[in-house]
Amino acid sequence: MADPTTPPHVPVLIRPLIAAVAPVQGVWLDGTFGAGGYTRALLDAGAAQVIGIDRDPAAFELAAPWAGALGARLRLVEGTFSELDSLAGEPLDGVVLDLGVSSMQLDQPERGFSFLRDGPLDMRMGDEGPSAADLLNHASEGEIADILFHYGEERAARRIARAIIAARPLTRTSDLVAAVERCLPRAKPGQSHPATRSFQAIRIWVNDEFRQLIEGLEAAERALKPGGWLAVVSFHSLEDRVVKRFFAARSGAEGQGNRYAPARAVVVPAFSNVAKPIAPDAEELAVNPRARSARLRIARRTAAPAGHADRASLGLPAPALQGDA
């Protein structure tokens, strides 16, 4: 029997994260609490308290066997990390965000995140708003195609959208997998499943993930003390591009780009010590193959007033810029 005090999944890139921000101290916020792996690692490394935020009530049910023993060192709050500054209610020494779907959620067929396990076509990280089935069964072919192309970088977006429309109503993950597989060749050994990009895109759509990301980065900027750390783990290139450009814009490192373009206003850097992205090493990949696409970016808050990044410059996919994230 598994030890109920041990989180079921090892957090990705936790060793380089702890090393980069050492010494860990003060109050940290884990904006994507999940199975509690980052939270426990931060507490073990020296954090006085961690505020754990998650939009998924199941995360706190999973933590119940061990969270109580930590007493005041752990405060759990249900909500989204886009509101982390108001949910924290105090200045922070550090914030960590682990983007995307958690291994815990992927491993639960009833959540509808996995194309490898049949379950209800849900994909909601919380328990509010329309499910994947709701959106796919009511959206136009053009809207579905745009989501697949821009959020999943799926080249066969139009064909898959037509197949989804033809297959409606979709109620199970297996319905969506079948629609995608009708449009794409079977994966060769070593290739990803044909439905990978479609499931990614639809999950991002369902959970409004790009709006959450931008607002979460800005909320972290508001919440962090001077000298506080912001660490972000992303799992695909679209997320990583947004985080990279946010740090560049808010650290004053954003280039002019074109000498004929209008001059940009001078940015008083809100972040410094912007590190190059950190990828998992061979040791980590041997333990957790799911970490292969992960990238960790870290920056340190300055004493400058909090501000906003120009969203048009952050590399957001088109639907997110249109407010349809």
Side-chain angles (χ1 to χ4, degrees):
M1 180 179 295
D3 181 352
T5 65
T6 302
H9 302 288
V10 177
V12 173
L13 293 168
I14 189 62
R15 288 184 291 107
L17 191 161
I18 295 296
V21 303
V24 178
Q25 55 192 354
V27 179
W28 276 70
L29 184 141
D30 180 353
T32 46
F33 180 75
Y38 289 94
T39 288
R40 287 171 60 122
L42 290 165
L43 290 169
D44 289 344
Q49 183 188 55
V50 173
I51 302 166
I53 293 176
D54 207 294
R55 66 200 297 184
D56 186 353
F60 303 134
E61 296 173 11
L62 183 68
W66 57 267
L70 294 168
R73 296 189 69 205
L74 174 60
R75 178 158 67 91
L76 299 178
V77 183
E78 185 176 338
T80 60
F81 64 71
S82 60
E83 303 174 310
L84 69 84
D85 54 334
S86 59
L87 293 175
E90 61 182 299
L92 301 170
D93 295 279
V95 172
V96 60
L97 303 176
D98 174 18
L99 306 178
V101 65
S102 72
S103 295
M104 174 186 70
Q105 292 166 327
L106 281 172
D107 292 340
Q108 297 174 326
E110 66 274 14
R111 304 301 300 274
F113 288 105
S114 177
F115 44 76
L116 299 176
R117 301 172 177 85
D118 185 37
L121 189 54
D122 193 323
M123 298 196 196
R124 292 175 296 175
M125 292 181 181
D127 54 7
E128 297 180 348
S131 67
D134 294 330
L135 293 174
L136 290 173
N137 287 327
H138 293 93
S140 68
E141 180 181 316
E143 185 177 9
I144 294 171
D146 284 348
I147 291 297
L148 296 177
F149 180 76
H150 290 290
Y151 288 170
E153 298 178 298
E154 175 55 73
R155 294 181 180 179
R158 293 289 173 188
R159 277 185 285 146
I160 295 171
R162 284 195 294 270
I164 287 171
I165 296 294
R168 295 201 299 205
L170 292 80
T171 61
R172 311 283 298 179
T173 55
S174 55
D175 298 333
L176 178 56
V177 170
V180 175
E181 288 181 335
R182 282 195 289 273
C183 303
L184 298 174
R186 185 184 298 273
K188 297 177 181 178
Q191 291 182 332
S192 58
H193 190 283
T196 300
R197 293 178 182 274
S198 295
F199 269 68
Q200 170 190 298
I202 294 164
R203 188 206 77 223
I204 290 172
W205 185 25
V206 168
N207 295 288
D208 200 7
E209 291 182 34
F210 280 105
R211 182 183 65 82
Q212 291 287 330
L213 173 55
I214 294 301
E215 293 184 3
L217 294 171
E218 292 179 341
E221 182 176 327
R222 293 191 297 269
L224 285 166
K225 298 176 182 176
W229 293 99
L230 174 55
V232 186
V233 177
S234 60
F235 287 86
H236 63 76
S237 59
L238 297 177
E239 293 173 334
D240 184 59
R241 180 177 67 194
V242 172
V243 178
K244 174 184 177 180
R245 293 189 181 184
F246 175 84
F247 279 149
R250 300 304 300 141
S251 66
E254 189 176 38
Q256 182 64 36
N258 183 340
R259 64 178 178 169
Y260 300 109
R264 294 191 178 105
V266 175
V267 174
V268 179
F271 287 96
S272 63
N273 299 85
V274 180
K276 293 183 178 180
I278 300 171
D281 58 20
E283 180 183 348
E284 178 157 0
L285 289 175
V287 175
N288 183 11
R290 283 178 177 171
R292 64 186 179 278
S293 63
R295 297 293 180 270
L296 168 65
R297 293 185 183 271
I298 303 173
R300 196 164 202 178
R301 187 71 170 87
T302 71
H308 298 277
D310 174 15
R311 300 192 179 194
S313 71
L314 296 181
L316 289 163
L321 283 173
Q322 295 164 6
D324 297 325

